[in-house]
Coordinates of all heavy atoms in Angstrom, one line a residue:
M167 N -72.7 45.0 -16.2 CA -72.6 45.2 -14.8 C -73.6 44.4 -14.1 O -74.7 44.3 -14.5 CB -72.8 46.7 -14.6 CG -72.8 47.1 -13.1 SD -72.6 48.9 -12.8 CE -74.2 49.5 -13.3
N168 N -73.1 43.8 -13.0 CA -74.0 43.0 -12.2 C -75.1 43.9 -11.6 O -74.8 45.0 -11.2 CB -73.2 42.3 -11.1 CG -74.0 41.4 -10.2 OD1 -75.1 41.7 -9.9 ND2 -73.4 40.3 -9.8
Q169 N -76.3 43.5 -11.5 CA -77.4 44.3 -11.0 C -77.2 44.7 -9.6 O -77.6 45.8 -9.2 CB -78.7 43.5 -11.1 CG -79.9 44.3 -11.1 CD -81.2 43.5 -11.4 OE1 -81.1 42.3 -11.6 NE2 -82.3 44.2 -11.6
N170 N -76.5 44.0 -8.8 CA -76.2 44.3 -7.4 C -74.9 45.0 -7.2 O -74.5 45.3 -6.1 CB -76.2 43.1 -6.5 CG -77.6 42.5 -6.5 OD1 -78.6 43.2 -6.5 ND2 -77.7 41.2 -6.5
D171 N -74.2 45.3 -8.3 CA -72.8 45.9 -8.2 C -72.9 47.3 -8.8 O -73.0 47.5 -10.0 CB -71.9 45.1 -9.0 CG -70.4 45.6 -9.0 OD1 -70.2 46.5 -8.2 OD2 -69.6 45.1 -9.7
D172 N -72.8 48.3 -7.9 CA -72.9 49.7 -8.3 C -71.6 50.3 -8.8 O -71.5 51.4 -9.3 CB -73.4 50.6 -7.2 CG -74.8 50.3 -6.8 OD1 -75.6 49.9 -7.6 OD2 -75.1 50.4 -5.6
T173 N -70.5 49.5 -8.7 CA -69.2 50.0 -9.1 C -68.9 49.9 -10.6 O -68.1 50.7 -11.1 CB -68.1 49.2 -8.4 OG1 -68.1 47.8 -8.8 CG2 -68.2 49.3 -6.8
G174 N -69.7 49.1 -11.3 CA -69.5 49.0 -12.7 C -68.0 48.5 -13.0 O -67.4 47.9 -12.2
N175 N -67.6 48.9 -14.2 CA -66.2 48.6 -14.5 C -65.6 49.9 -15.2 O -66.3 50.8 -15.6 CB -66.0 47.4 -15.4 CG -66.6 47.5 -16.7 OD1 -66.4 48.4 -17.5 ND2 -67.5 46.5 -17.0
D176 N -64.3 49.9 -15.4 CA -63.7 51.1 -16.0 C -64.1 51.4 -17.4 O -63.8 52.5 -17.9 CB -62.1 51.0 -15.9 CG -61.6 51.0 -14.5 OD1 -62.4 51.5 -13.6 OD2 -60.5 50.6 -14.3
D177 N -64.7 50.5 -18.1 CA -65.1 50.7 -19.5 C -66.6 51.2 -19.6 O -67.0 51.5 -20.7 CB -65.1 49.4 -20.2 CG -63.6 48.9 -20.4 OD1 -62.7 49.7 -20.4 OD2 -63.4 47.7 -20.6
D178 N -67.3 51.4 -18.5 CA -68.6 51.9 -18.6 C -68.8 53.2 -17.9 O -67.9 53.6 -17.0 CB -69.7 50.9 -18.2 CG -69.7 50.5 -16.8 OD1 -69.1 51.2 -15.9 OD2 -70.2 49.4 -16.4
I179 N -69.8 54.0 -18.1 CA -70.0 55.3 -17.5 C -70.1 55.2 -16.0 O -69.5 55.9 -15.3 CB -71.2 56.0 -18.1 CG1 -71.0 56.3 -19.6 CG2 -71.6 57.2 -17.4 CD1 -72.2 56.7 -20.4
A180 N -70.9 54.2 -15.5 CA -71.1 54.1 -14.1 C -69.7 53.8 -13.4 O -69.4 54.3 -12.3 CB -72.1 52.9 -13.8
G181 N -68.9 52.9 -14.0 CA -67.6 52.6 -13.4 C -66.7 53.8 -13.4 O -66.0 54.1 -12.4
C182 N -66.7 54.6 -14.4 CA -65.9 55.9 -14.5 C -66.4 56.9 -13.4 O -65.6 57.5 -12.7 CB -66.0 56.5 -15.8 SG -65.2 55.6 -17.1
I183 N -67.7 57.0 -13.2 CA -68.2 57.9 -12.2 C -67.9 57.4 -10.8 O -67.5 58.2 -9.9 CB -69.7 58.1 -12.4 CG1 -70.0 58.9 -13.7 CG2 -70.3 58.9 -11.2 CD1 -71.4 58.9 -14.2
Y184 N -68.1 56.1 -10.6 CA -67.7 55.5 -9.3 C -66.3 55.8 -8.9 O -66.0 56.2 -7.8 CB -68.0 54.0 -9.4 CG -67.9 53.3 -8.0 CD1 -69.0 53.2 -7.2 CD2 -66.7 52.8 -7.6 CE1 -68.9 52.6 -5.9 CE2 -66.5 52.2 -6.3 CZ -67.6 52.1 -5.5 OH -67.5 51.5 -4.3
K185 N -65.4 55.5 -9.9 CA -64.0 55.7 -9.6 C -63.7 57.2 -9.4 O -62.9 57.5 -8.5 CB -63.2 55.2 -10.9 CG -61.7 55.2 -10.7 CD -61.1 54.6 -11.9 CE -59.7 54.1 -11.6 NZ -59.1 53.4 -12.8
A186 N -64.3 58.1 -10.1 CA -64.1 59.5 -9.9 C -64.6 60.0 -8.6 O -63.9 60.8 -7.9 CB -64.8 60.3 -11.0
L187 N -65.7 59.5 -8.1 CA -66.2 59.9 -6.8 C -65.4 59.3 -5.7 O -65.2 60.0 -4.7 CB -67.7 59.4 -6.7 CG -68.7 60.3 -7.4 CD1 -70.1 59.6 -7.4 CD2 -68.8 61.6 -6.7
E188 N -64.9 58.1 -5.9 CA -64.0 57.5 -4.9 C -62.8 58.4 -4.7 O -62.3 58.7 -3.6 CB -63.6 56.1 -5.2 CG -64.6 55.1 -5.1 CD -64.8 54.7 -3.6 OE1 -63.9 54.6 -2.9 OE2 -66.0 54.5 -3.2
N189 N -62.2 58.9 -5.8 CA -61.0 59.7 -5.8 C -61.4 61.1 -5.2 O -60.6 61.6 -4.4 CB -60.5 60.0 -7.3 CG -59.8 58.7 -7.8 OD1 -59.3 57.9 -7.0 ND2 -59.8 58.6 -9.1
Y190 N -62.5 61.6 -5.5 CA -63.0 62.9 -5.0 C -63.0 62.8 -3.4 O -62.5 63.7 -2.8 CB -64.4 63.3 -5.5 CG -65.0 64.4 -4.8 CD1 -64.7 65.7 -5.1 CD2 -66.1 64.2 -3.9 CE1 -65.3 66.8 -4.4 CE2 -66.7 65.2 -3.2 CZ -66.3 66.5 -3.5 OH -66.9 67.6 -2.8
F191 N -63.7 61.8 -2.9 CA -63.8 61.7 -1.5 C -62.4 61.4 -0.8 O -62.1 61.9 0.3 CB -64.8 60.6 -1.1 CG -66.2 61.0 -1.2 CD1 -67.0 60.7 -2.3 CD2 -66.8 61.8 -0.2 CE1 -68.3 61.1 -2.4 CE2 -68.1 62.3 -0.3 CZ -68.8 61.9 -1.4
R192 N -61.6 60.7 -1.5 CA -60.2 60.4 -1.0 C -59.4 61.7 -0.9 O -58.7 61.9 0.1 CB -59.5 59.4 -1.8 CG -58.3 58.8 -1.3 CD -57.6 57.6 -2.0 NE -58.0 57.5 -3.4 CZ -58.9 56.6 -3.9 NH1 -59.6 55.9 -3.0 NH2 -59.2 56.5 -5.1
R193 N -59.6 62.6 -1.9 CA -58.8 63.8 -1.9 C -59.4 64.9 -0.9 O -58.7 65.9 -0.7 CB -58.8 64.4 -3.3 CG -57.9 63.6 -4.3 CD -57.8 64.4 -5.6 NE -59.0 64.9 -6.1 CZ -59.7 64.4 -7.1 NH1 -59.4 63.3 -7.7 NH2 -60.8 64.9 -7.5
L194 N -60.6 64.7 -0.4 CA -61.1 65.6 0.6 C -60.3 65.7 1.8 O -60.2 66.8 2.5 CB -62.5 65.3 0.9 CG -63.6 65.6 -0.1 CD1 -64.9 65.1 0.4 CD2 -63.7 67.1 -0.4
D195 N -59.6 64.7 2.2 CA -58.7 64.7 3.3 C -59.3 65.3 4.6 O -58.8 66.2 5.2 CB -57.4 65.4 2.9 CG -56.3 65.1 3.9 OD1 -56.2 64.0 4.5 OD2 -55.5 66.1 4.1
G196 N -60.5 64.8 4.9 CA -61.2 65.2 6.1 C -62.1 66.4 5.9 O -62.9 66.7 6.8
E197 N -62.0 67.1 4.8 CA -62.9 68.2 4.5 C -64.4 67.7 4.3 O -64.5 66.6 3.8 CB -62.5 69.0 3.3 CG -61.2 69.8 3.5 CD -61.3 70.9 4.5 OE1 -62.3 71.6 4.5 OE2 -60.4 71.1 5.3
K198 N -65.3 68.5 4.6 CA -66.7 68.1 4.4 C -67.1 68.3 3.0 O -67.0 69.4 2.4 CB -67.6 68.9 5.4 CG -69.1 68.5 5.3 CD -69.9 69.4 6.2 CE -71.4 69.0 6.0 NZ -72.3 69.8 6.8
P199 N -67.7 67.2 2.3 CA -68.1 67.4 0.9 C -69.4 68.3 0.9 O -70.2 68.3 1.9 CB -68.4 66.0 0.5 CG -68.7 65.2 1.7 CD -67.9 65.9 2.8
A200 N -69.6 68.9 -0.2 CA -70.8 69.8 -0.4 C -71.3 69.7 -1.8 O -70.6 69.6 -2.7 CB -70.5 71.2 0.0
A201 N -72.6 69.7 -1.9 CA -73.3 69.7 -3.2 C -72.8 68.6 -4.2 O -72.6 68.9 -5.4 CB -73.2 71.1 -3.8
V202 N -72.6 67.4 -3.7 CA -72.0 66.4 -4.5 C -73.0 66.0 -5.7 O -72.6 65.8 -6.8 CB -71.7 65.1 -3.7 CG1 -71.3 63.9 -4.6 CG2 -70.6 65.4 -2.7
Y203 N -74.3 66.0 -5.4 CA -75.3 65.6 -6.4 C -75.2 66.6 -7.6 O -75.0 66.2 -8.8 CB -76.7 65.6 -5.8 CG -77.7 65.3 -6.9 CD1 -78.0 64.0 -7.2 CD2 -78.4 66.3 -7.5 CE1 -79.0 63.7 -8.1 CE2 -79.4 66.0 -8.5 CZ -79.6 64.7 -8.8 OH -80.6 64.4 -9.8
E204 N -75.2 67.9 -7.3 CA -75.1 68.9 -8.4 C -73.8 68.8 -9.1 O -73.8 69.0 -10.3 CB -75.3 70.3 -7.7 CG -75.3 71.4 -8.8 CD -76.4 71.4 -9.7 OE1 -77.5 70.8 -9.4 OE2 -76.3 72.0 -10.8
M205 N -72.7 68.6 -8.4 CA -71.4 68.5 -9.0 C -71.4 67.3 -10.0 O -70.9 67.5 -11.2 CB -70.3 68.2 -7.9 CG -68.9 68.0 -8.5 SD -67.8 67.4 -7.3 CE -68.4 65.8 -6.9
V206 N -71.9 66.2 -9.6 CA -71.9 65.0 -10.5 C -72.8 65.3 -11.7 O -72.4 65.0 -12.9 CB -72.3 63.7 -9.8 CG1 -72.5 62.6 -10.7 CG2 -71.3 63.4 -8.7
I207 N -74.0 65.8 -11.5 CA -75.0 66.0 -12.6 C -74.4 67.0 -13.6 O -74.4 66.7 -14.8 CB -76.3 66.5 -12.1 CG1 -77.0 65.5 -11.2 CG2 -77.2 67.0 -13.2 CD1 -77.2 64.1 -11.9
R208 N -73.8 68.1 -13.1 CA -73.2 69.1 -14.0 C -72.0 68.5 -14.8 O -71.8 68.8 -15.9 CB -72.7 70.3 -13.3 CG -73.9 71.2 -12.8 CD -74.5 71.9 -14.0 NE -75.6 72.7 -13.6 CZ -76.3 73.5 -14.4 NH1 -75.9 73.6 -15.7 NH2 -77.3 74.2 -14.0
S209 N -71.2 67.7 -14.1 CA -70.0 67.1 -14.7 C -70.4 66.1 -15.8 O -69.7 66.0 -16.8 CB -69.2 66.3 -13.6 OG -68.7 67.2 -12.7
V210 N -71.5 65.4 -15.7 CA -71.9 64.4 -16.6 C -72.8 65.1 -17.7 O -72.6 64.8 -18.9 CB -72.7 63.3 -16.0 CG1 -73.3 62.3 -17.0 CG2 -71.8 62.5 -15.0
E211 N -73.6 66.0 -17.4 CA -74.6 66.6 -18.3 C -73.9 67.4 -19.4 O -74.3 67.2 -20.6 CB -75.5 67.5 -17.5 CG -76.7 68.0 -18.3 CD -77.7 68.8 -17.5 OE1 -77.2 69.7 -16.7 OE2 -78.9 68.5 -17.6
R212 N -72.9 68.2 -19.1 CA -72.3 69.0 -20.2 C -71.6 68.1 -21.3 O -71.9 68.3 -22.4 CB -71.3 69.9 -19.5 CG -70.8 71.0 -20.5 CD -69.9 72.0 -19.7 NE -70.0 73.3 -20.2 CZ -69.5 73.7 -21.4 NH1 -68.9 72.8 -22.2 NH2 -69.6 74.9 -21.8
P213 N -70.8 67.2 -20.9 CA -70.2 66.4 -22.0 C -71.2 65.5 -22.7 O -71.1 65.3 -23.9 CB -69.1 65.6 -21.3 CG -69.4 65.7 -19.9 CD -70.2 66.9 -19.6
M214 N -72.2 65.0 -22.0 CA -73.2 64.2 -22.6 C -74.0 65.0 -23.7 O -74.1 64.5 -24.8 CB -74.2 63.7 -21.6 CG -75.4 63.0 -22.2 SD -76.7 62.5 -21.0 CE -77.2 64.1 -20.4
L215 N -74.4 66.2 -23.4 CA -75.1 67.1 -24.3 C -74.2 67.4 -25.5 O -74.6 67.4 -26.7 CB -75.6 68.3 -23.7 CG -76.7 68.1 -22.6 CD1 -77.1 69.4 -22.0 CD2 -77.9 67.4 -23.1
A216 N -72.9 67.7 -25.2 CA -72.0 68.1 -26.3 C -71.8 67.0 -27.3 O -71.8 67.1 -28.5 CB -70.7 68.6 -25.7
V217 N -71.6 65.7 -26.7 CA -71.4 64.6 -27.6 C -72.6 64.3 -28.4 O -72.5 64.0 -29.6 CB -70.9 63.4 -26.8 CG1 -71.0 62.1 -27.6 CG2 -69.5 63.6 -26.2
V218 N -73.8 64.3 -27.8 CA -75.0 64.0 -28.5 C -75.3 65.0 -29.6 O -75.6 64.7 -30.7 CB -76.2 63.9 -27.6 CG1 -77.6 63.8 -28.3 CG2 -76.1 62.6 -26.7
L219 N -75.1 66.3 -29.3 CA -75.2 67.3 -30.3 C -74.2 67.1 -31.5 O -74.6 67.3 -32.6 CB -75.0 68.7 -29.7 CG -76.2 69.4 -29.2 CD1 -75.8 70.8 -28.6 CD2 -77.3 69.6 -30.3
K220 N -73.0 66.8 -31.2 CA -72.0 66.5 -32.2 C -72.5 65.3 -33.1 O -72.4 65.4 -34.3 CB -70.7 66.2 -31.6 CG -69.6 65.9 -32.5 CD -68.3 65.6 -31.8 CE -67.2 65.3 -32.9 NZ -65.9 64.9 -32.2
Q221 N -73.0 64.3 -32.4 CA -73.4 63.1 -33.2 C -74.6 63.4 -34.1 O -74.8 62.7 -35.1 CB -73.8 62.0 -32.2 CG -72.6 61.4 -31.5 CD -71.6 60.8 -32.4 OE1 -72.0 60.0 -33.3 NE2 -70.4 61.1 -32.2
T222 N -75.4 64.4 -33.7 CA -76.6 64.8 -34.5 C -76.3 65.9 -35.5 O -77.2 66.5 -36.1 CB -77.8 65.1 -33.6 OG1 -77.5 66.3 -32.9 CG2 -78.2 64.0 -32.7
G223 N -75.0 66.3 -35.5 CA -74.7 67.4 -36.4 C -75.3 68.8 -36.0 O -75.6 69.6 -36.8
G224 N -75.6 68.9 -34.7 CA -76.2 70.1 -34.1 C -77.7 70.1 -34.2 O -78.3 71.1 -33.8
N225 N -78.3 69.1 -34.7 CA -79.8 69.0 -34.8 C -80.4 68.8 -33.4 O -80.4 67.7 -32.8 CB -80.2 67.9 -35.7 CG -81.7 67.8 -36.0 OD1 -82.5 68.0 -35.1 ND2 -82.0 67.4 -37.2
Q226 N -80.9 69.9 -32.9 CA -81.5 69.9 -31.5 C -82.7 69.0 -31.4 O -82.9 68.4 -30.3 CB -81.8 71.3 -31.0 CG -80.5 72.1 -30.8 CD -80.8 73.5 -30.4 OE1 -81.9 73.8 -29.9 NE2 -79.9 74.5 -30.7
T227 N -83.5 69.0 -32.4 CA -84.7 68.1 -32.3 C -84.3 66.6 -32.2 O -84.8 65.9 -31.4 CB -85.6 68.3 -33.6 OG1 -86.0 69.7 -33.6 CG2 -86.8 67.5 -33.5
L228 N -83.4 66.2 -33.1 CA -82.9 64.8 -33.0 C -82.2 64.6 -31.7 O -82.3 63.5 -31.1 CB -82.0 64.6 -34.2 CG -81.5 63.1 -34.4 CD1 -82.6 62.1 -34.4 CD2 -80.6 63.0 -35.6
A229 N -81.3 65.5 -31.3 CA -80.6 65.3 -30.0 C -81.6 65.2 -28.8 O -81.4 64.3 -28.0 CB -79.7 66.5 -29.8
A230 N -82.6 66.0 -28.8 CA -83.6 65.9 -27.7 C -84.3 64.5 -27.8 O -84.5 63.9 -26.7 CB -84.6 67.0 -27.8
E231 N -84.6 64.0 -29.0 CA -85.2 62.7 -29.1 C -84.3 61.6 -28.6 O -84.7 60.7 -27.8 CB -85.5 62.5 -30.6 CG -86.3 61.2 -30.9 CD -86.6 61.0 -32.3 OE1 -87.0 62.0 -33.0 OE2 -86.4 59.9 -32.8
I232 N -83.0 61.7 -28.9 CA -82.0 60.7 -28.5 C -81.9 60.7 -27.0 O -81.8 59.7 -26.3 CB -80.7 60.9 -29.2 CG1 -80.7 60.6 -30.6 CG2 -79.6 60.2 -28.5 CD1 -79.5 61.0 -31.5
L233 N -81.9 61.9 -26.4 CA -81.8 62.1 -25.0 C -83.0 61.7 -24.2 O -83.0 61.5 -23.0 CB -81.4 63.5 -24.6 CG -80.0 63.9 -25.1 CD1 -79.8 65.5 -25.1 CD2 -78.9 63.3 -24.2
G234 N -84.1 61.7 -24.9 CA -85.4 61.4 -24.2 C -86.0 62.6 -23.5 O -86.6 62.4 -22.4
I235 N -85.6 63.8 -23.9 CA -86.2 65.0 -23.3 C -86.8 65.9 -24.3 O -86.6 65.8 -25.5 CB -85.0 65.8 -22.6 CG1 -83.9 66.3 -23.5 CG2 -84.5 65.0 -21.4 CD1 -82.9 67.1 -22.9
N236 N -87.6 66.9 -23.9 CA -88.2 67.8 -24.7 C -87.2 68.8 -25.3 O -86.2 69.1 -24.7 CB -89.2 68.6 -23.8 CG -90.0 69.7 -24.6 OD1 -89.4 70.7 -24.9 ND2 -91.3 69.4 -24.9
R237 N -87.4 69.2 -26.6 CA -86.5 70.1 -27.3 C -86.3 71.4 -26.5 O -85.2 72.0 -26.4 CB -86.9 70.4 -28.7 CG -85.9 71.2 -29.5 CD -86.4 71.6 -30.9 NE -85.5 72.5 -31.5 CZ -85.4 73.8 -31.2 NH1 -86.1 74.4 -30.3 NH2 -84.5 74.6 -31.8
N238 N -87.4 71.9 -25.9 CA -87.3 73.2 -25.2 C -86.4 73.0 -23.9 O -85.6 73.9 -23.5 CB -88.6 73.7 -24.8 CG -89.4 74.2 -26.0 OD1 -88.8 74.7 -27.0 ND2 -90.7 74.2 -25.9
T239 N -86.5 71.8 -23.3 CA -85.7 71.5 -22.1 C -84.2 71.4 -22.5 O -83.4 72.0 -21.9 CB -86.1 70.2 -21.5 OG1 -87.5 70.3 -21.1 CG2 -85.3 69.8 -20.3
L240 N -84.0 70.8 -23.7 CA -82.6 70.7 -24.2 C -82.1 72.1 -24.4 O -81.0 72.4 -24.0 CB -82.6 69.9 -25.5 CG -81.2 69.9 -26.2 CD1 -80.1 69.3 -25.3 CD2 -81.3 69.1 -27.5
R241 N -82.8 72.9 -25.1 CA -82.4 74.3 -25.4 C -82.0 75.0 -24.2 O -81.0 75.7 -24.1 CB -83.4 75.0 -26.3 CG -83.0 76.3 -26.8 CD -83.8 76.8 -28.0 NE -83.3 78.1 -28.4 CZ -82.2 78.3 -29.1 NH1 -81.4 77.4 -29.5 NH2 -81.9 79.6 -29.5
K242 N -82.9 74.9 -23.1 CA -82.6 75.6 -21.9 C -81.3 75.1 -21.2 O -80.5 75.9 -20.8 CB -83.8 75.4 -20.9 CG -83.6 76.2 -19.6 CD -84.7 75.9 -18.6 CE -84.6 76.7 -17.3 NZ -83.3 76.8 -16.8
K243 N -81.1 73.8 -21.3 CA -79.9 73.3 -20.7 C -78.7 73.7 -21.5 O -77.6 74.0 -20.9 CB -79.9 71.7 -20.7 CG -80.9 71.2 -19.7 CD -80.9 69.7 -19.7 CE -81.9 69.1 -18.7 NZ -81.4 69.3 -17.3
L244 N -78.8 73.8 -22.8 CA -77.7 74.3 -23.7 C -77.3 75.7 -23.4 O -76.1 76.1 -23.3 CB -78.0 74.1 -25.2 CG -78.2 72.7 -25.7 CD1 -78.7 72.7 -27.1 CD2 -76.9 71.9 -25.5
V245 N -78.3 76.5 -23.1 CA -78.1 77.9 -22.8 C -77.5 78.0 -21.4 O -76.4 78.7 -21.2 CB -79.4 78.7 -22.8 CG1 -79.2 80.1 -22.2 CG2 -79.9 78.9 -24.3
D246 N -78.0 77.3 -20.4 CA -77.5 77.3 -19.0 C -76.1 76.8 -19.0 O -75.3 77.4 -18.2 CB -78.4 76.4 -18.1 CG -79.7 77.0 -17.9 OD1 -80.0 78.1 -18.2 OD2 -80.6 76.2 -17.3
L247 N -75.7 75.8 -19.8 CA -74.4 75.3 -19.8 C -73.4 76.0 -20.8 O -72.3 75.6 -20.9 CB -74.4 73.8 -20.1 CG -75.1 72.9 -19.0 CD1 -75.4 71.5 -19.6 CD2 -74.4 72.9 -17.7
K248 N -74.0 77.0 -21.4 CA -73.2 77.8 -22.4 C -72.6 77.0 -23.5 O -71.5 77.1 -24.0 CB -72.1 78.6 -21.6 CG -72.6 79.6 -20.6 CD -71.4 80.2 -19.9 CE -71.9 81.3 -18.9 NZ -72.9 81.0 -18.0
L249 N -73.5 76.1 -24.0 CA -73.1 75.2 -25.1 C -73.7 75.8 -26.4 O -73.5 75.2 -27.5 CB -73.6 73.8 -24.9 CG -72.8 73.0 -23.9 CD1 -73.5 71.7 -23.6 CD2 -71.4 72.7 -24.4
L250 N -74.5 76.8 -26.3 CA -75.1 77.5 -27.5 C -74.4 78.8 -27.7 O -74.3 79.6 -26.8 CB -76.6 77.7 -27.2 CG -77.6 76.7 -27.8 CD1 -79.0 77.2 -27.6 CD2 -77.3 76.4 -29.2
G251 N -74.1 79.0 -29.0 CA -73.4 80.3 -29.3 C -74.3 81.4 -29.5 O -75.4 81.5 -29.5

């Protein structure tokens, strides 16, 4: 992705998010958007954590390391997002 191009392409995460947000705003049809930041973070965070956990075989310590966050932070997010049984 070009450093000055925020649109990315359809094959990268930024491009997918860009396209999804463009569609979101188009579908609003004049309605006022609300809490877009939280919506995007939640939409990305849940699948990201699920995939990383799957890749680590459920090893939270390794998952936290890969994500670059503290294990306790990861655990809290997993509980909040109902990804822990």
Side-chain angles (χ1 to χ4, degrees):
M167 178 165 70
N168 184 321
Q169 202 169 4
N170 296 323
D171 182 8
D172 294 330
T173 63
N175 64 56
D176 290 344
D177 293 335
D178 65 21
I179 295 168
C182 291
I183 294 168
Y184 187 91
K185 191 176 197 176
L187 282 168
E188 287 284 323
N189 288 332
Y190 169 78
F191 281 101
R192 193 172 20 262
R193 288 190 315 259
L194 284 176
D195 195 32
E197 292 293 319
K198 183 179 176 186
V202 173
Y203 180 83
E204 182 65 23
M205 175 190 69
V206 171
I207 296 303
R208 287 290 179 173
S209 296
V210 172
E211 189 173 47
R212 191 173 213 291
M214 175 184 62
L215 295 178
V217 168
V218 171
L219 269 178
K220 181 179 176 184
Q221 293 298 312
T222 64
N225 183 324
Q226 292 178 23
T227 301
L228 183 54
E231 183 180 318
I232 289 170
L233 291 163
I235 62 176
N236 179 285
R237 186 185 172 282
N238 291 333
T239 300
L240 172 60
R241 187 157 177 79
K242 181 181 182 325
K243 288 179 179 294
L244 294 174
V245 169
D246 290 347
L247 295 169
K248 296 175 178 52
L249 287 170
L250 263 187

